[in-house]
Amino acid sequence: MKILVTGTGGREHALAWACAKDDKVTTVFVAKGNAGTAHEPKLCNVDLDISDHKAVIDFCQKEEIAFVVVGAEAPLVAGITDDLTKAGIKVWGCSKYCSQLEGSKAFAKEFMQAINVPTAFYQVFTQTDGAKAFVKEKGTPIVIKADGLAAGKGVIVAMTETEAFAAIDDMLSGNKFGEAGSRVVIEEFLAGEEASFICMIDGDNILPMATSQDHKRIFEGDKGANTGGMGAYSPAPVVTADVHDKVIERVIRPVVDEMKRRGTPYTGFLYAGLMIDDNADPYVIEFNCRFGDPETQPIMMRLKSSLVDLILAGLDGHLPKTADWHDDVALGIVLASRGYPDSSSSNDVITGLPQVGSVEKVKVFHAGTKQGDNGQILTNGGRVLCVTALGKDVAEAQARALQACGTIAFDGIQYRRDIGWRAIGR
Ligand code: AMP
Ligand code: GLY
């Protein structure tokens, strides 16, 4: 069986690696992949432009691809699932309509409001005057978000009015996020602890993945700018059995039922970014229509079931209710390049990868890497690697991952040494 995974990041390396573990699978193509997927057994990078749906269809037909796993959100928003499905190709990923849950924060907010999913109070603005008046009325802290896709970076949690006004000016007049920022969502600040709740959905059945928590800020202590994610671990202790039940009942089930009712059933991964308040009540911060990055890396390390079998069952409308997970905790630390998240640096030589490659209970997933001359591996973007380790608890997994991180070097390397601190502190 041959599979195609689309994308170039750490999430895609982990998804492709998990698919390749299944004996039925002969090849997992990754379009376009990175230096990690280039070296992984059974994985094969392919230079395919995934925005060219016709080319993807031709490739899938020629290679007799069993199904396509869409890694990142942009192809879903561009309707890759709709186009490939029409051509008879199976895709694990939601339709263009459903992808609006991630592609438009305004759509997601209206959707949640229509079905009473708990989320922060909000309003949408296209003009700076109205936006600023709203901030004055509500006070701070307050959260300013670019409406469209901005790779996790279009969100400013403003502690002061000055910061809020600057964010509004940047997005609406300064064009900082281009078209994505031509509308802003301004919402109430939610206090609590965050968790990532990711499920597989087959239109009706819900299979929750192991829970996880991501660290979105660039600096230790969860300070500084928002990034795509600097590290993650699974499971997340904040998601107790009680919270888990509430999330299914108040968030996931209503979304799945509403999409079905609208005649556009949701198929694929669905990610609810949650804030859990002091009363253990969950509020949705955002939806993503894909797996998380870096949450995928620790979650896939814990998955004992065959991801391929789960996807095949999902495509068939027979998702099981549970999957098998290793009891160990998994924790991933992102190694980022100089300047991230504002900018990034490329072409720096990465050393230490072969040494870490043989360490037990450690797996290095690649993201922004590429092959250089003479077998060297070079940096190629903001988030470069995700060093992921298993351990009997969060502290052990963190210590093991940190030790491996210490072996890897490249010019301008930056990473957080405190991933998992909330869980360790419990
Ligand atoms: P988002 O891209 O919407 O997930 O937002 C990125 C990050 O900003 C989240 O992971 C939170 O840390 C923070 N954030 C977003 N919305 C809120 C909110 N309403 N209250 C508090 N923090 C938020
Ligand atoms: N790690 C956050 C995300 O994938 O959106």
Side-chain angles (χ1 to χ4, degrees):
M1 178 183 286
K2 295 189 236 175
I3 294 167
L4 171 65
V5 174
T6 70
T8 60
R11 165 183 47 217
E12 289 76 19
H13 186 182
L15 290 171
W17 169 81
C19 287
K21 283 200 213 172
D22 191 303
D23 288 338
K24 289 189 288 298
V25 174
T26 50
T27 310
V28 184
F29 292 102
V30 189
K32 301 182 173 182
N34 52 42
T37 54
H39 289 289
E40 196 72 59
K42 293 212 254 178
L43 269 49
C44 178
N45 285 353
V46 19
D47 188 18
L48 187 60
D49 174 8
I50 51 170
S51 66
D52 183 348
H53 298 176
K54 170 83 172 62
V56 179
I57 292 167
D58 289 346
F59 177 84
C60 291
Q61 286 170 342
K62 183 174 127 258
E63 292 292 344
E64 299 182 334
I65 296 294
F67 58 82
V68 180
V69 183
V70 182
E73 61 279 10
L76 297 168
V77 171
I80 194 169
T81 303
D82 309 61
D83 287 349
L84 268 62
T85 305
K86 263 184 234 142
I89 293 156
K90 293 193 168 147
V91 184
W92 188 249
C94 72
S95 66
K96 186 179 169 82
Y97 183 84
C98 293
S99 77
Q100 294 179 91
L101 282 177
E102 174 167 6
S104 164
K105 292 196 189 282
F107 176 92
K109 282 292 196 179
E110 281 157 27
F111 190 91
M112 284 190 268
Q113 207 169 40
I115 55 173
N116 291 316
V117 167
T119 187
F121 178 82
Y122 77 103
Q123 217 159 307
V124 183
F125 296 92
T126 52
Q127 303 295 329
T128 52
D129 290 355
K132 288 181 182 176
F134 185 70
V135 169
K136 274 208 176 303
E137 180 196 326
K138 293 289 168 192
T140 53
I142 198 156
V143 183
I144 319 286
K145 302 184 174 187
D147 179 50
L149 295 178
K153 295 168 203 157
V155 174
I156 304 293
V157 179
M159 302 314 286
T160 63
E161 200 177 278
T162 315
E163 274 179 82
F165 284 10
I168 291 167
D169 285 335
D170 273 354
M171 291 183 199
L172 288 178
S173 346
N175 217 19
K176 183 159 182 197
F177 296 99
E179 187 53 32
S182 60
R183 291 204 292 178
V184 296
V185 171
I186 303 188
E187 67 176 43
E188 169 198 3
F189 174 80
L190 297 169
E193 184 169 345
E194 284 182 63
S196 307
F197 200 99
I198 302 164
C199 301
M200 292 176 71
I201 315 270
D202 68 5
D204 187 15
N205 298 299
I206 298 165
L207 169 59
M209 298 283 98
T211 59
S212 60
Q213 194 176 86
D214 173 24
H215 292 265
K216 293 226 170 73
R217 306 295 189 103
I218 184 74
F219 298 130
E220 287 171 14
D222 294 324
K223 305 246 162 39
N226 266 311
T227 70
M230 292 300 290
Y233 61 97
S234 168
V238 67
V239 186
T240 58
D242 168 52
V243 171
H244 200 281
D245 289 349
K246 287 179 186 167
V247 176
I248 297 287
E249 191 185 313
R250 299 179 190 176
V251 178
I252 310 292
R253 190 77 254 173
V255 168
V256 173
D257 287 351
E258 176 65 7
M259 284 299 186
K260 205 164 98 178
R261 195 191 65 78
R262 293 187 184 194
T264 56
Y266 195 103
T267 316
F269 297 115
L270 174 63
Y271 168 143
L274 303 171
M275 188 69 84
I276 318 289
D277 75 4
D278 289 346
N279 298 319
D281 285 321
Y283 292 83
V284 175
I285 295 176
E286 62 162 352
F287 284 118
N288 295 315
C289 50
R290 45 155 179 91
F291 224 107
D293 191 343
E295 292 93 327
T296 314
Q297 293 86 316
I299 292 176
M300 285 302 123
M301 258 188 108
R302 292 188 59 220
L303 181 64
K304 280 208 275 191
S305 308
S306 158
L307 179 62
V308 172
D309 285 344
L310 295 178
I311 292 175
L312 288 171
L315 289 167
D316 222 21
H318 294 111
L319 260 186
K321 293 208 165 8
T322 54
D324 290 333
W325 304 96
H326 286 289
D327 290 333
D328 275 354
V329 168
L331 183 141
I333 300 174
V334 169
L335 306 185
S337 72
R338 176 181 288 122
Y340 184 75
D342 288 332
S343 61
S344 65
S345 156
S346 290
N347 299 314
D348 295 308
V349 177
I350 306 171
T351 58
L353 288 170
Q355 291 87 314
V356 176
S358 55
V359 179
E360 218 193 323
K361 299 196 175 189
V362 173
K363 174 76 192 164
V364 179
F365 294 106
H366 287 228
T369 66
K370 65 179 177 196
Q371 311 207 69
D373 300 331
N374 339 316
Q376 284 177 328
I377 293 183
L378 310 177
T379 63
N380 187 33
R383 293 191 291 174
V384 178
L385 301 163
C386 181
V387 177
T388 313
L390 291 169
K392 66 177 185 322
D393 53 28
V394 180
E396 188 181 288
Q398 188 202 58
R400 192 169 275 136
L402 278 174
Q403 191 169 13
C405 290
T407 308
I408 297 171
F410 53 84
D411 197 27
I413 191 170
Q414 44 167 343
Y415 61 95
R416 287 179 52 171
R417 289 166 180 76
D418 69 341
I419 300 303
W421 65 272
R422 279 198 181 78
I424 293 171
R426 265 166 189 260

